[in-house]
mmCIF file of all heavy atoms in Angstrom:
data_model
loop_
_atom_site.group_PDB
_atom_site.id
_atom_site.type_symbol
_atom_site.label_atom_id
_atom_site.label_comp_id
_atom_site.label_asym_id
_atom_site.label_seq_id
_atom_site.Cartn_x
_atom_site.Cartn_y
_atom_site.Cartn_z
ATOM 1 N N PHE A 105 118.914 93.333 106.437
ATOM 2 C CA PHE A 105 117.487 93.303 106.099
ATOM 3 C C PHE A 105 117.253 92.671 104.719
ATOM 4 O O PHE A 105 116.306 93.010 104.040
ATOM 5 C CB PHE A 105 116.922 94.711 106.141
ATOM 6 C CG PHE A 105 117.031 95.371 107.480
ATOM 7 C CD1 PHE A 105 118.088 96.209 107.772
ATOM 8 C CD2 PHE A 105 116.088 95.089 108.478
ATOM 9 C CE1 PHE A 105 118.191 96.792 109.037
ATOM 10 C CE2 PHE A 105 116.189 95.654 109.737
ATOM 11 C CZ PHE A 105 117.250 96.507 110.047
ATOM 12 N N LYS A 106 118.135 91.803 104.324
ATOM 13 C CA LYS A 106 117.992 91.056 103.039
ATOM 14 C C LYS A 106 117.766 89.585 103.312
ATOM 15 O O LYS A 106 118.679 88.799 103.515
ATOM 16 C CB LYS A 106 119.249 91.243 102.196
ATOM 17 C CG LYS A 106 119.170 90.601 100.823
ATOM 18 C CD LYS A 106 120.456 90.770 100.069
ATOM 19 C CE LYS A 106 120.394 90.067 98.715
ATOM 20 N NZ LYS A 106 121.650 90.163 97.964
ATOM 21 N N GLY A 107 116.474 89.190 103.349
ATOM 22 C CA GLY A 107 116.127 87.810 103.630
ATOM 23 C C GLY A 107 115.436 87.189 102.467
ATOM 24 O O GLY A 107 115.781 87.351 101.336
ATOM 25 N N GLY A 108 114.332 86.458 102.759
ATOM 26 C CA GLY A 108 113.559 85.775 101.732
ATOM 27 C C GLY A 108 112.307 86.550 101.344
ATOM 28 O O GLY A 108 112.203 87.742 101.583
ATOM 29 N N LYS A 109 111.365 85.846 100.783
ATOM 30 C CA LYS A 109 110.108 86.476 100.376
ATOM 31 C C LYS A 109 108.920 86.060 101.223
ATOM 32 O O LYS A 109 107.779 86.513 101.005
ATOM 33 C CB LYS A 109 109.821 86.132 98.922
ATOM 34 C CG LYS A 109 110.873 86.705 97.981
ATOM 35 C CD LYS A 109 110.586 86.381 96.516
ATOM 36 C CE LYS A 109 111.640 86.991 95.601
ATOM 37 N NZ LYS A 109 111.419 86.628 94.146
ATOM 38 N N GLY A 110 109.141 85.210 102.206
ATOM 39 C CA GLY A 110 108.139 84.909 103.226
ATOM 40 C C GLY A 110 107.103 83.885 102.924
ATOM 41 O O GLY A 110 106.147 83.690 103.647
ATOM 42 N N ILE A 111 107.274 83.151 101.810
ATOM 43 C CA ILE A 111 106.217 82.199 101.424
ATOM 44 C C ILE A 111 106.211 80.975 102.265
ATOM 45 O O ILE A 111 105.146 80.489 102.732
ATOM 46 C CB ILE A 111 106.350 81.863 99.914
ATOM 47 C CG1 ILE A 111 106.165 83.075 99.062
ATOM 48 C CG2 ILE A 111 105.295 80.807 99.535
ATOM 49 C CD1 ILE A 111 104.887 83.858 99.280
ATOM 50 N N ALA A 112 107.384 80.405 102.564
ATOM 51 C CA ALA A 112 107.411 79.242 103.467
ATOM 52 C C ALA A 112 106.953 79.583 104.842
ATOM 53 O O ALA A 112 106.256 78.831 105.499
ATOM 54 C CB ALA A 112 108.864 78.650 103.495
ATOM 55 N N ALA A 113 107.346 80.789 105.314
ATOM 56 C CA ALA A 113 106.858 81.243 106.636
ATOM 57 C C ALA A 113 105.337 81.453 106.598
ATOM 58 O O ALA A 113 104.654 81.135 107.568
ATOM 59 C CB ALA A 113 107.538 82.568 107.021
ATOM 60 N N THR A 114 104.845 81.904 105.476
ATOM 61 C CA THR A 114 103.383 82.047 105.306
ATOM 62 C C THR A 114 102.692 80.729 105.393
ATOM 63 O O THR A 114 101.619 80.582 105.950
ATOM 64 C CB THR A 114 103.041 82.744 103.978
ATOM 65 O OG1 THR A 114 103.598 84.077 104.010
ATOM 66 C CG2 THR A 114 101.538 82.839 103.785
ATOM 67 N N ALA A 115 103.283 79.707 104.775
ATOM 68 C CA ALA A 115 102.720 78.347 104.836
ATOM 69 C C ALA A 115 102.598 77.900 106.269
ATOM 70 O O ALA A 115 101.616 77.321 106.665
ATOM 71 C CB ALA A 115 103.613 77.364 104.034
ATOM 72 N N GLY A 116 103.670 78.156 107.082
ATOM 73 C CA GLY A 116 103.583 77.819 108.493
ATOM 74 C C GLY A 116 102.459 78.602 109.209
ATOM 75 O O GLY A 116 101.782 78.024 110.062
ATOM 76 N N MET A 117 102.318 79.818 108.862
ATOM 77 C CA MET A 117 101.245 80.645 109.480
ATOM 78 C C MET A 117 99.877 80.043 109.137
ATOM 79 O O MET A 117 99.021 79.917 110.029
ATOM 80 C CB MET A 117 101.330 82.075 108.994
ATOM 81 C CG MET A 117 100.290 82.991 109.589
ATOM 82 S SD MET A 117 100.423 84.691 108.927
ATOM 83 C CE MET A 117 99.860 84.460 107.235
ATOM 84 N N ILE A 118 99.701 79.684 107.904
ATOM 85 C CA ILE A 118 98.411 79.127 107.462
ATOM 86 C C ILE A 118 98.100 77.814 108.175
ATOM 87 O O ILE A 118 97.012 77.539 108.645
ATOM 88 C CB ILE A 118 98.380 78.966 105.950
ATOM 89 C CG1 ILE A 118 98.304 80.329 105.274
ATOM 90 C CG2 ILE A 118 97.221 78.082 105.498
ATOM 91 C CD1 ILE A 118 98.427 80.300 103.796
ATOM 92 N N LEU A 119 99.155 76.975 108.264
ATOM 93 C CA LEU A 119 98.996 75.668 108.921
ATOM 94 C C LEU A 119 98.616 75.806 110.424
ATOM 95 O O LEU A 119 97.876 75.007 110.968
ATOM 96 C CB LEU A 119 100.276 74.842 108.823
ATOM 97 C CG LEU A 119 100.600 74.327 107.428
ATOM 98 C CD1 LEU A 119 102.012 73.709 107.415
ATOM 99 C CD2 LEU A 119 99.585 73.251 106.981
ATOM 100 N N ALA A 120 99.187 76.866 111.065
ATOM 101 C CA ALA A 120 98.959 77.047 112.516
ATOM 102 C C ALA A 120 97.769 77.918 112.817
ATOM 103 O O ALA A 120 97.312 77.987 113.940
ATOM 104 C CB ALA A 120 100.202 77.661 113.126
ATOM 105 N N PHE A 121 97.196 78.590 111.803
ATOM 106 C CA PHE A 121 96.188 79.618 112.073
ATOM 107 C C PHE A 121 94.802 78.978 112.296
ATOM 108 O O PHE A 121 94.201 79.160 113.356
ATOM 109 C CB PHE A 121 96.142 80.593 110.892
ATOM 110 C CG PHE A 121 95.206 81.777 111.175
ATOM 111 C CD1 PHE A 121 95.547 82.774 112.070
ATOM 112 C CD2 PHE A 121 93.948 81.846 110.513
ATOM 113 C CE1 PHE A 121 94.726 83.799 112.303
ATOM 114 C CE2 PHE A 121 93.099 82.899 110.762
ATOM 115 C CZ PHE A 121 93.475 83.926 111.656
ATOM 116 N N HIS A 122 94.298 78.274 111.302
ATOM 117 C CA HIS A 122 92.981 77.624 111.406
ATOM 118 C C HIS A 122 92.898 76.471 110.396
ATOM 119 O O HIS A 122 93.343 76.689 109.235
ATOM 120 C CB HIS A 122 91.859 78.628 111.184
ATOM 121 C CG HIS A 122 90.506 78.142 111.619
ATOM 122 N ND1 HIS A 122 89.807 77.228 110.891
ATOM 123 C CD2 HIS A 122 89.752 78.448 112.705
ATOM 124 C CE1 HIS A 122 88.677 76.978 111.473
ATOM 125 N NE2 HIS A 122 88.599 77.710 112.589
ATOM 126 N N PRO A 123 92.320 75.343 110.746
ATOM 127 C CA PRO A 123 92.242 74.199 109.802
ATOM 128 C C PRO A 123 91.598 74.539 108.471
ATOM 129 O O PRO A 123 91.964 73.950 107.443
ATOM 130 C CB PRO A 123 91.425 73.182 110.588
ATOM 131 C CG PRO A 123 91.647 73.507 112.029
ATOM 132 C CD PRO A 123 91.783 75.028 112.092
ATOM 133 N N TYR A 124 90.628 75.458 108.474
ATOM 134 C CA TYR A 124 89.956 75.812 107.204
ATOM 135 C C TYR A 124 90.929 76.342 106.161
ATOM 136 O O TYR A 124 90.758 76.148 104.973
ATOM 137 C CB TYR A 124 88.922 76.924 107.468
ATOM 138 C CG TYR A 124 87.639 76.418 108.140
ATOM 139 C CD1 TYR A 124 86.604 77.338 108.442
ATOM 140 C CD2 TYR A 124 87.470 75.074 108.427
ATOM 141 C CE1 TYR A 124 85.448 76.904 109.063
ATOM 142 C CE2 TYR A 124 86.288 74.656 109.067
ATOM 143 C CZ TYR A 124 85.297 75.550 109.375
ATOM 144 O OH TYR A 124 84.138 75.120 109.936
ATOM 145 N N PHE A 125 92.028 76.997 106.614
ATOM 146 C CA PHE A 125 92.937 77.605 105.696
ATOM 147 C C PHE A 125 93.920 76.625 105.113
ATOM 148 O O PHE A 125 94.522 76.894 104.055
ATOM 149 C CB PHE A 125 93.677 78.761 106.390
ATOM 150 C CG PHE A 125 92.842 79.956 106.668
ATOM 151 C CD1 PHE A 125 91.919 79.948 107.725
ATOM 152 C CD2 PHE A 125 92.894 81.081 105.855
ATOM 153 C CE1 PHE A 125 91.100 81.038 107.974
ATOM 154 C CE2 PHE A 125 92.080 82.188 106.101
ATOM 155 C CZ PHE A 125 91.169 82.157 107.172
ATOM 156 N N ILE A 126 94.088 75.488 105.766
ATOM 157 C CA ILE A 126 95.047 74.488 105.266
ATOM 158 C C ILE A 126 94.608 73.917 103.916
ATOM 159 O O ILE A 126 95.435 73.876 103.000
ATOM 160 C CB ILE A 126 95.168 73.359 106.282
ATOM 161 C CG1 ILE A 126 95.754 73.910 107.605
ATOM 162 C CG2 ILE A 126 96.105 72.271 105.728
ATOM 163 C CD1 ILE A 126 95.787 72.869 108.726
ATOM 164 N N VAL A 127 93.343 73.568 103.817
ATOM 165 C CA VAL A 127 92.836 73.003 102.579
ATOM 166 C C VAL A 127 92.973 73.989 101.443
ATOM 167 O O VAL A 127 93.447 73.630 100.358
ATOM 168 C CB VAL A 127 91.370 72.614 102.727
ATOM 169 C CG1 VAL A 127 90.780 72.107 101.409
ATOM 170 C CG2 VAL A 127 91.233 71.521 103.771
ATOM 171 N N MET A 128 92.618 75.231 101.695
ATOM 172 C CA MET A 128 92.751 76.282 100.664
ATOM 173 C C MET A 128 94.205 76.410 100.220
ATOM 174 O O MET A 128 94.499 76.426 98.996
ATOM 175 C CB MET A 128 92.257 77.624 101.218
ATOM 176 C CG MET A 128 92.436 78.803 100.319
ATOM 177 S SD MET A 128 94.102 79.585 100.314
ATOM 178 C CE MET A 128 94.224 80.141 101.986
ATOM 179 N N GLY A 129 95.129 76.516 101.176
ATOM 180 C CA GLY A 129 96.520 76.685 100.828
ATOM 181 C C GLY A 129 97.096 75.555 99.991
ATOM 182 O O GLY A 129 97.767 75.774 98.998
ATOM 183 N N VAL A 130 96.819 74.333 100.409
ATOM 184 C CA VAL A 130 97.343 73.130 99.736
ATOM 185 C C VAL A 130 96.764 73.024 98.344
ATOM 186 O O VAL A 130 97.475 72.839 97.345
ATOM 187 C CB VAL A 130 97.079 71.886 100.547
ATOM 188 C CG1 VAL A 130 97.400 70.628 99.740
ATOM 189 C CG2 VAL A 130 97.857 71.871 101.864
ATOM 190 N N VAL A 131 95.438 73.150 98.243
ATOM 191 C CA VAL A 131 94.771 72.990 96.910
ATOM 192 C C VAL A 131 95.204 74.049 95.948
ATOM 193 O O VAL A 131 95.570 73.759 94.758
ATOM 194 C CB VAL A 131 93.248 72.990 97.093
ATOM 195 C CG1 VAL A 131 92.565 73.047 95.732
ATOM 196 C CG2 VAL A 131 92.801 71.794 97.855
ATOM 197 N N VAL A 132 95.209 75.318 96.378
ATOM 198 C CA VAL A 132 95.557 76.421 95.452
ATOM 199 C C VAL A 132 97.035 76.328 95.060
ATOM 200 O O VAL A 132 97.328 76.367 93.831
ATOM 201 C CB VAL A 132 95.277 77.780 96.116
ATOM 202 C CG1 VAL A 132 95.808 78.924 95.225
ATOM 203 C CG2 VAL A 132 93.798 77.936 96.314
ATOM 204 N N PHE A 133 97.927 76.198 95.994
ATOM 205 C CA PHE A 133 99.334 76.227 95.657
ATOM 206 C C PHE A 133 99.777 75.061 94.773
ATOM 207 O O PHE A 133 100.330 75.216 93.706
ATOM 208 C CB PHE A 133 100.243 76.265 96.924
ATOM 209 C CG PHE A 133 101.687 76.251 96.568
ATOM 210 C CD1 PHE A 133 102.332 77.446 96.136
ATOM 211 C CD2 PHE A 133 102.448 75.090 96.594
ATOM 212 C CE1 PHE A 133 103.689 77.450 95.787
ATOM 213 C CE2 PHE A 133 103.787 75.099 96.251
ATOM 214 C CZ PHE A 133 104.400 76.234 95.823
ATOM 215 N N PHE A 134 99.427 73.818 95.278
ATOM 216 C CA PHE A 134 99.890 72.672 94.513
ATOM 217 C C PHE A 134 99.105 72.505 93.214
ATOM 218 O O PHE A 134 99.610 71.939 92.254
ATOM 219 C CB PHE A 134 99.794 71.410 95.374
ATOM 220 C CG PHE A 134 100.917 71.336 96.392
ATOM 221 C CD1 PHE A 134 100.690 71.649 97.731
ATOM 222 C CD2 PHE A 134 102.217 70.979 95.999
ATOM 223 C CE1 PHE A 134 101.729 71.615 98.635
ATOM 224 C CE2 PHE A 134 103.216 70.938 96.917
ATOM 225 C CZ PHE A 134 103.002 71.255 98.246
ATOM 226 N N GLY A 135 97.852 72.959 93.207
ATOM 227 C CA GLY A 135 97.082 72.923 91.945
ATOM 228 C C GLY A 135 97.774 73.776 90.864
ATOM 229 O O GLY A 135 97.892 73.357 89.706
ATOM 230 N N ILE A 136 98.220 74.953 91.280
ATOM 231 C CA ILE A 136 98.926 75.841 90.319
ATOM 232 C C ILE A 136 100.320 75.343 90.037
ATOM 233 O O ILE A 136 100.750 75.267 88.875
ATOM 234 C CB ILE A 136 99.012 77.290 90.883
ATOM 235 C CG1 ILE A 136 97.602 77.840 91.034
ATOM 236 C CG2 ILE A 136 99.843 78.159 89.982
ATOM 237 C CD1 ILE A 136 96.809 78.020 89.739
ATOM 238 N N PHE A 137 101.085 74.971 91.079
ATOM 239 C CA PHE A 137 102.445 74.578 90.911
ATOM 240 C C PHE A 137 102.606 73.327 90.064
ATOM 241 O O PHE A 137 103.468 73.257 89.160
ATOM 242 C CB PHE A 137 103.097 74.354 92.247
ATOM 243 C CG PHE A 137 104.520 73.805 92.172
ATOM 244 C CD1 PHE A 137 105.548 74.545 91.636
ATOM 245 C CD2 PHE A 137 104.796 72.504 92.578
ATOM 246 C CE1 PHE A 137 106.819 74.038 91.515
ATOM 247 C CE2 PHE A 137 106.087 72.013 92.518
ATOM 248 C CZ PHE A 137 107.134 72.752 91.961
ATOM 249 N N LEU A 138 101.758 72.308 90.332
ATOM 250 C CA LEU A 138 101.907 71.046 89.606
ATOM 251 C C LEU A 138 101.439 71.136 88.135
ATOM 252 O O LEU A 138 101.837 70.311 87.324
ATOM 253 C CB LEU A 138 101.114 69.941 90.326
ATOM 254 C CG LEU A 138 101.678 69.568 91.714
ATOM 255 C CD1 LEU A 138 100.748 68.540 92.381
ATOM 256 C CD2 LEU A 138 103.113 69.001 91.615
ATOM 257 N N THR A 139 100.635 72.134 87.819
ATOM 258 C CA THR A 139 100.210 72.310 86.440
ATOM 259 C C THR A 139 101.062 73.309 85.643
ATOM 260 O O THR A 139 101.225 73.187 84.437
ATOM 261 C CB THR A 139 98.734 72.778 86.382
ATOM 262 O OG1 THR A 139 98.580 73.972 87.187
ATOM 263 C CG2 THR A 139 97.800 71.706 86.915
ATOM 264 N N THR A 140 101.648 74.266 86.363
ATOM 265 C CA THR A 140 102.416 75.293 85.665
ATOM 266 C C THR A 140 103.914 75.297 86.046
ATOM 267 O O THR A 140 104.733 75.822 85.293
ATOM 268 C CB THR A 140 101.905 76.727 85.957
ATOM 269 O OG1 THR A 140 102.118 77.032 87.337
ATOM 270 C CG2 THR A 140 100.402 76.795 85.654
ATOM 271 N N HIS A 141 104.244 74.717 87.218
ATOM 272 C CA HIS A 141 105.601 74.720 87.736
ATOM 273 C C HIS A 141 106.111 76.142 88.043
ATOM 274 O O HIS A 141 107.302 76.378 87.992
ATOM 275 C CB HIS A 141 106.559 73.973 86.837
ATOM 276 C CG HIS A 141 106.196 72.538 86.631
ATOM 277 N ND1 HIS A 141 106.348 71.596 87.602
ATOM 278 C CD2 HIS A 141 105.605 71.911 85.572
ATOM 279 C CE1 HIS A 141 105.937 70.402 87.157
ATOM 280 N NE2 HIS A 141 105.477 70.572 85.946
ATOM 281 N N LEU A 142 105.156 77.052 88.291
ATOM 282 C CA LEU A 142 105.467 78.430 88.624
ATOM 283 C C LEU A 142 105.201 78.651 90.120
ATOM 284 O O LEU A 142 104.101 78.819 90.554
ATOM 285 C CB LEU A 142 104.645 79.406 87.779
ATOM 286 C CG LEU A 142 104.914 79.373 86.267
ATOM 287 C CD1 LEU A 142 103.865 80.179 85.523
ATOM 288 C CD2 LEU A 142 106.329 79.915 85.991
ATOM 289 N N VAL A 143 106.269 78.648 90.891
ATOM 290 C CA VAL A 143 106.155 78.799 92.327
ATOM 291 C C VAL A 143 105.578 80.173 92.688
ATOM 292 O O VAL A 143 104.705 80.292 93.572
ATOM 293 C CB VAL A 143 107.514 78.634 93.036
ATOM 294 C CG1 VAL A 143 107.420 78.971 94.513
ATOM 295 C CG2 VAL A 143 108.031 77.225 92.829
ATOM 296 N N SER A 144 106.046 81.178 91.964
ATOM 297 C CA SER A 144 105.573 82.581 92.294
ATOM 298 C C SER A 144 104.060 82.698 92.055
ATOM 299 O O SER A 144 103.345 83.330 92.844
ATOM 300 C CB SER A 144 106.328 83.576 91.459
ATOM 301 O OG SER A 144 106.247 83.264 90.054
ATOM 302 N N LEU A 145 103.574 82.151 90.951
ATOM 303 C CA LEU A 145 102.158 82.273 90.631
ATOM 304 C C LEU A 145 101.322 81.570 91.723
ATOM 305 O O LEU A 145 100.289 82.106 92.192
ATOM 306 C CB LEU A 145 101.866 81.660 89.278
ATOM 307 C CG LEU A 145 100.407 81.708 88.785
ATOM 308 C CD1 LEU A 145 99.925 83.160 88.706
ATOM 309 C CD2 LEU A 145 100.254 81.011 87.461
ATOM 310 N N GLY A 146 101.730 80.378 92.102
ATOM 311 C CA GLY A 146 101.010 79.664 93.156
ATOM 312 C C GLY A 146 101.017 80.411 94.466
ATOM 313 O O GLY A 146 99.980 80.530 95.159
ATOM 314 N N SER A 147 102.158 81.025 94.826
ATOM 315 C CA SER A 147 102.259 81.755 96.036
ATOM 316 C C SER A 147 101.399 83.000 96.046
ATOM 317 O O SER A 147 100.761 83.315 97.031
ATOM 318 C CB SER A 147 103.728 82.174 96.269
ATOM 319 O OG SER A 147 104.606 81.020 96.248
ATOM 320 N N LEU A 148 101.365 83.733 94.954
ATOM 321 C CA LEU A 148 100.579 84.929 94.861
ATOM 322 C C LEU A 148 99.104 84.661 94.922
ATOM 323 O O LEU A 148 98.330 85.351 95.550
ATOM 324 C CB LEU A 148 100.959 85.678 93.582
ATOM 325 C CG LEU A 148 102.351 86.253 93.531
ATOM 326 C CD1 LEU A 148 102.672 86.757 92.099
ATOM 327 C CD2 LEU A 148 102.510 87.364 94.534
ATOM 328 N N LEU A 149 98.674 83.541 94.303
ATOM 329 C CA LEU A 149 97.281 83.190 94.314
ATOM 330 C C LEU A 149 96.848 82.700 95.709
ATOM 331 O O LEU A 149 95.723 82.940 96.106
ATOM 332 C CB LEU A 149 96.996 82.138 93.240
ATOM 333 C CG LEU A 149 97.032 82.659 91.815
ATOM 334 C CD1 LEU A 149 96.774 81.516 90.832
ATOM 335 C CD2 LEU A 149 95.940 83.756 91.629
#
Side-chain angles (χ1 to χ4, degrees):
F105 300 97
K106 183 183 178 183
K109 296 181 180 178
I111 298 305
T114 297
M117 181 182 70
I118 289 174
L119 289 171
F121 187 74
H122 194 286
Y124 285 177
F125 289 77
I126 298 174
V127 176
M128 175 278 297
V130 170
V131 170
V132 173
F133 179 79
F134 283 102
I136 297 298
F137 174 67
L138 293 176
T139 54
T140 67
H141 300 287
L142 294 169
V143 174
S144 57
L145 180 60
S147 302
L148 293 170
L149 288 178

